[in-house]
Amino acid sequence: MSKELIISPRSERVREQLAEAGAWSAYAANLREVLAAAIEKSGADVLEVGGLLVSEPLPAEHRGLRNGAEVRPPQAMDLAEGMAAGRGPYCQLTAPGRLQIESGWDGALHLFTTPAVAADLAGFHGESVTFLWHDAAPEPIEVSDPVDAVADAGFWARVAEASERLTLVCERWAYGTHGCRWFRVTPENTAEVARILRPRSLVRVAAEPELRPRAELLHDGFTAFVAPLPHGELTHRNYPEGPTHSPRSQTTVSPSCWPTRRCATGAPSYRTRTG
């Protein structure tokens, strides 16, 4: 992929107000026409989701979304339009070696494609869109400290053993405040928790965590839970900026955990903070 197409709203009002603008629907229609053509000409029956960022709860139509998920073109276009509209969730949509779709600023989308597909799209025109072509390829993702260890049967056996005492499991399945789940595990439910985690998630374990840590440990962020902690999935809230707005009725957990593990299947994932 050596060609980049930036698709942007022609209207300044649409660029400023996005989906709130009266002319958004016309831009969205043109945008979907270009996306449909690019996907078809790339021969992509599905596109793979990567770099998923979830800042709000996923709507019902995207409930099963995760890194590595393959989506059909209609859902891919829905996701792309949602990114352009500023609603999210945000991700990369990729047909490896043929097409990659990313969000930009002010309602824009970036399409990376091959010279052959670029030539096919060059004659496309729309009343509500502008096109800007570049010779460019997607930027490589540079990751430090990748997580290679797998959350395999041996890992979960150690979790089950530790869960005789208070043990929490964090599943980081996407970036963003709504991209993780927490569980209180026990010897009886550890296998079920392991079964329902999403592939490619990052898994961290807090064994016998300090539930009322010293204030100085919280300045870099923490996760709060409603006490008492039930078994299974936990209602929680992240406080990345520290304890200023943490309600006193909540139980807090300091960030210290076991080393991160990658959920058992899929391509390598990478270390990320859970606090």
Side-chain angles (χ1 to χ4, degrees):
M1 295 184 291
S2 60
K3 296 293 184 179
E4 178 188 14
L5 171 60
I6 304 175
I7 312 169
S8 301
R10 187 178 300 275
S11 165
E12 182 177 352
R13 185 170 297 244
V14 172
R15 292 195 296 272
E16 293 175 349
Q17 299 181 357
L18 301 179
E20 301 298 320
W24 173 263
S25 58
Y27 172 63
N30 280 171
L31 186 64
R32 294 179 76 96
E33 289 176 13
V34 181
L35 290 171
I39 293 171
E40 179 183 1
K41 293 179 184 299
S42 299
D45 296 325
V46 295
L47 289 95
E48 182 176 312
V49 175
L52 184 60
L53 171 65
V54 181
S55 300
E56 301 289 341
L58 288 177
E61 62 269 24
H62 299 317
R63 193 64 52 83
L65 212 59
R66 60 172 177 80
N67 285 314
E70 292 183 336
V71 296
R72 305 286 294 178
Q75 185 178 6
M77 288 190 288
D78 288 343
L79 287 166
E81 182 184 340
M83 290 190 288
R87 295 190 300 266
Y90 297 90
C91 63
Q92 296 170 342
L93 297 163
T94 305
R98 292 172 287 166
L99 178 66
Q100 184 164 307
I101 302 169
E102 301 178 359
S103 63
W105 294 100
D106 302 327
L109 287 179
H110 296 245
L111 275 62
F112 296 92
T113 187
T114 64
V117 172
D120 287 339
L121 295 176
F124 192 94
H125 298 282
E127 294 183 359
S128 301
V129 294
T130 63
F131 301 109
L132 181 62
W133 287 97
H134 294 285
D135 290 328
E139 294 184 4
I141 300 175
E142 297 182 2
V143 180
S144 61
D145 198 13
V147 175
D148 296 319
V150 176
D152 56 13
F155 170 81
W156 288 111
R158 293 192 296 276
V159 173
E161 181 179 352
S163 69
E164 295 282 358
R165 304 171 300 281
L166 176 62
T167 302
L168 307 182
V169 168
C170 175
E171 176 201 22
R172 170 61 71 179
W173 56 273
Y175 297 108
T177 54
H178 287 268
C180 68
R181 296 190 292 178
W182 283 84
F183 302 85
R184 180 178 179 181
V185 293
T186 66
E188 292 75 27
N189 75 359
T190 297
E192 176 61 16
V193 170
R195 185 188 67 81
I196 65 175
L197 298 191
R198 295 169 170 87
R200 302 196 187 188
S201 293
L202 294 177
V203 182
R204 304 192 79 179
V205 178
E208 295 188 277
E210 175 56 65
L211 297 182
R212 295 291 179 184
R214 300 187 309 276
E216 59 266 26
L217 297 178
L218 303 179
H219 291 312
D220 290 332
F222 63 94
T223 300
F225 306 89
V226 177
L229 299 179
H231 299 164
E233 187 169 354
L234 299 173
T235 299
H236 70 280
R237 181 174 176 182
N238 294 327
Y239 290 89
E241 303 301 326
T244 305
H245 303 293
S246 174
R248 292 188 177 183
S249 61
Q250 294 182 326
T251 292
T252 61
V253 172
S254 62
S256 58
C257 293
W258 289 10
T260 306
R261 293 292 179 119
R262 175 168 55 88
C263 213
T265 61
S269 297
Y270 304 95
R271 188 180 306 276
T272 185
R273 296 193 60 181
T274 59

